[in-house]
Amino acid sequence: MVYTQLVKSQKGLFALLVDPDKYSVDDLIDLSQRAQTAGVDMILLGGSITQASMADTLLTIRRVTSIPIVLFPGNAIQFVPTADAILLLSLISGRNPDFLIGNHVLVSHSLRKSGMEIIPTGYILVESGRVTSVQYMSRTVPIPRDKCDIVIATALAGQQLGLKSIYLEAGSGAEMPVSTQIISEVCKYVDLPIIVGGGLRNPEQVKAARSAGASMVVVGNALEKDLGILKDLVSACR
Ligand code: 1GP
């Protein structure tokens, strides 16, 4: 129970998002080694569209690090049975049945057979400036960033449905991350670990998200551009 144990530790978790298409094998090895040294808590694997093999990427990471590898799949075809856990996302801010339940049905038997830890997660897209890949690919409308009441009610409904985590997502490479006001307001109403990602680029933003109540922050895009900031981002998260 990798995720459950990590959340219980209450230390402020840092997740590194790896999009398999963004790294060569050599870069992936370097990234994984640096992640281990920096104290990254988990590696999320996935993307809106993937050309590179999820299974090969996972194997490359696994060879050089003991960091738990957690699937963060954009759709059912990204499922690989060899991960440690899966963020089983239900896109509850949207009304597209494929991302609320459809992909889950397709993968349910494979998931059961894999035996990996399942983290049922309410995935909430918040508007962040411009159209993001996840918004376009999921054909859903993000919640406007000034509609905090709608974000709260959506997160609350996710908890009432029995989901175990809430992911506040601005979208990879977002112009603006989810606001600290939204994070802190959701934390007032929802008694679940809150994951925050999308557009976090520097230690100040990571620190602000944590101070507002995020249990885990996720960074991908900023590290594709400059891996040198990894240590500072992890430190800011604690
Ligand atoms: C995207 O929340 C993750 O799904 C991470 O976003 O790539 O912008 O860090 P970034």
Side-chain angles (χ1 to χ4, degrees), residues 83-232:
D84 298 298
I86 180 171
L87 279 182
L88 193 61
L89 307 171
S90 186
L91 210 175
I92 57 177
S93 57
R95 299 296 179 266
N96 181 345
D98 289 346
F99 292 90
L100 281 163
I101 183 66
N103 280 283
H104 315 66
V105 173
L106 295 177
V107 87
S108 60
H109 281 291
S110 307
L111 186 50
R112 179 181 62 84
K113 283 182 207 151
S114 76
M116 76 176 67
E117 178 182 359
I118 299 171
I119 309 154
T121 301
Y123 194 47
I124 298 179
L125 290 190
V126 180
E127 185 259 318
S128 61
R130 58 180 147 80
V131 176
T132 58
S133 298
V134 59
Q135 175 184 347
Y136 183 81
M137 292 305 293
S138 67
R139 286 164 285 132
T140 65
V141 181
I143 300 175
R145 53 189 289 115
D146 61 345
K147 304 288 183 196
C148 198
D149 55 340
I150 301 180
V151 182
I152 292 168
T154 304
L156 207 46
Q159 175 168 288
Q160 290 160 350
L161 280 166
L163 298 171
K164 299 296 182 216
S165 275
I166 296 293
Y167 194 135
L168 299 175
E169 171 72 275
S172 193
E175 280 178 0
M176 293 175 283
V178 175
S179 71
T180 52
Q181 188 208 353
I182 288 179
I183 300 168
S184 59
E185 286 297 316
V186 168
C187 288
K188 278 185 202 160
Y189 288 88
V190 174
D191 187 25
L192 292 175
I194 304 295
I195 304 167
V196 174
L200 296 170
R201 291 184 175 79
N202 55 53
E204 291 70 32
Q205 288 173 326
V206 165
K207 209 177 274 184
R210 280 278 300 129
S211 302
S215 298
M216 179 163 96
V217 299
V218 182
V219 180
N221 201 270
L223 292 164
E224 289 162 14
K225 294 182 175 134
D226 180 10
L227 196 46
I229 60 172
L230 179 60
K231 268 189 181 167
D232 289 342

Side-chain angles (χ1 to χ4, degrees), residues 38-54:
V40 167
D41 296 291
M42 67 178 75
I43 291 176
L44 299 188
L45 192 58
S48 290
I49 300 181
T50 43
Q51 199 182 120
S53 157
M54 289 277 286

